[in-house]
Each structure stands twice: as structure tokens, then as C-alpha cells.
Amino acid sequence: MFIHIGNDVVVRTKDIIMILNKYALASKDTSDFLQIAKEEGFVVDDDSKNPEEIKSVLISEKKIVFSPISSTTLLKRSNFLKEL
């Protein structure tokens, strides 16, 4: 199944490893991780996002995507899909 994460982007639910909320971005370790991932080309479309728009970060094996939708809402969407 797929989950809509905002900005006309969908991600396969089975590919999602982790969903971080925007407060996790304040951590130095998370910032370092995202900087390294960006340098290695894993971050998708980071430059077009307004930092105030970002409410969550989805991490998969092959890419990292920023979302304007809260992590709580994304979790509810993914659980809804599992129940179908």
C-alpha cells in the first residue's frame, strides 16, 4: 500500500523505516545524520522546502523525504491502511 505524505508525494508503506517529528530535527545527532544523508544524495527535494513547512521526516532504505504533514497524522494514515 501507499501513503500520501503531502505535496503530491506518495511512499510505499512497507519501505518506511522511521517517521520523525519536527522536534527530532533539533537534535544534533539527527541534524548530523540528515546532513550526511544530503551529501550522499539520499535526501529528496530538500531545497524546495520551507523549514517552517516541514512537520515530519520519513526515512526509508533508499531515500529521506520531508513532509508538511505531522508524524501523528502519517501514523494514523499508515495504521488505517493496515486495517483495510
Side-chain angles (χ1 to χ4, degrees), residues 1-14 16 19 55-56 58 65-84:
M1 297 300 284
F2 292 88
I3 182 171
H4 179 261
I5 62 166
N7 296 334
D8 297 327
V9 177
V10 293
V11 177
R12 287 185 355 174
T13 53
K14 72 178 190 175
I16 297 173
I19 300 174
K55 293 186 180 172
S56 61
L58 282 85
V65 184
F66 294 93
S67 174
I69 299 173
S70 74
S71 57
T72 305
T73 302
L74 293 174
L75 178 64
K76 288 177 185 176
R77 288 182 183 184
S78 66
N79 286 335
F80 171 75
L81 293 174
K82 289 178 185 176
E83 293 174 4
L84 288 178

Side-chain angles (χ1 to χ4, degrees), residues 13-83:
T13 53
K14 72 178 190 175
D15 291 342
I16 297 173
I17 296 172
M18 183 184 309
I19 300 174
L20 300 172
N21 67 18
K22 66 180 178 181
Y23 301 109
L25 300 177
S27 164
K28 182 181 178 340
D29 292 333
T30 304
S31 297
D32 292 345
F33 168 75
L34 291 174
Q35 182 61 37
I36 292 169
K38 183 177 180 180
E39 291 169 2
E40 293 182 3
F42 288 102
V43 176
V44 176
D45 199 25
D46 178 41
D47 296 329
S48 69
K49 303 283 189 240
N50 180 355
E52 291 144 12
E53 254 182 49
I54 297 172
K55 293 186 180 172
S56 61
V57 180
L58 282 85
I59 299 174
S60 71
E61 275 188 45
K62 298 183 181 181
K63 62 184 175 180
I64 297 174
V65 184
F66 294 93
S67 174
I69 299 173
S70 74
S71 57
T72 305
T73 302
L74 293 174
L75 178 64
K76 288 177 185 176
R77 288 182 183 184
S78 66
N79 286 335
F80 171 75
L81 293 174
K82 289 178 185 176
E83 293 174 4

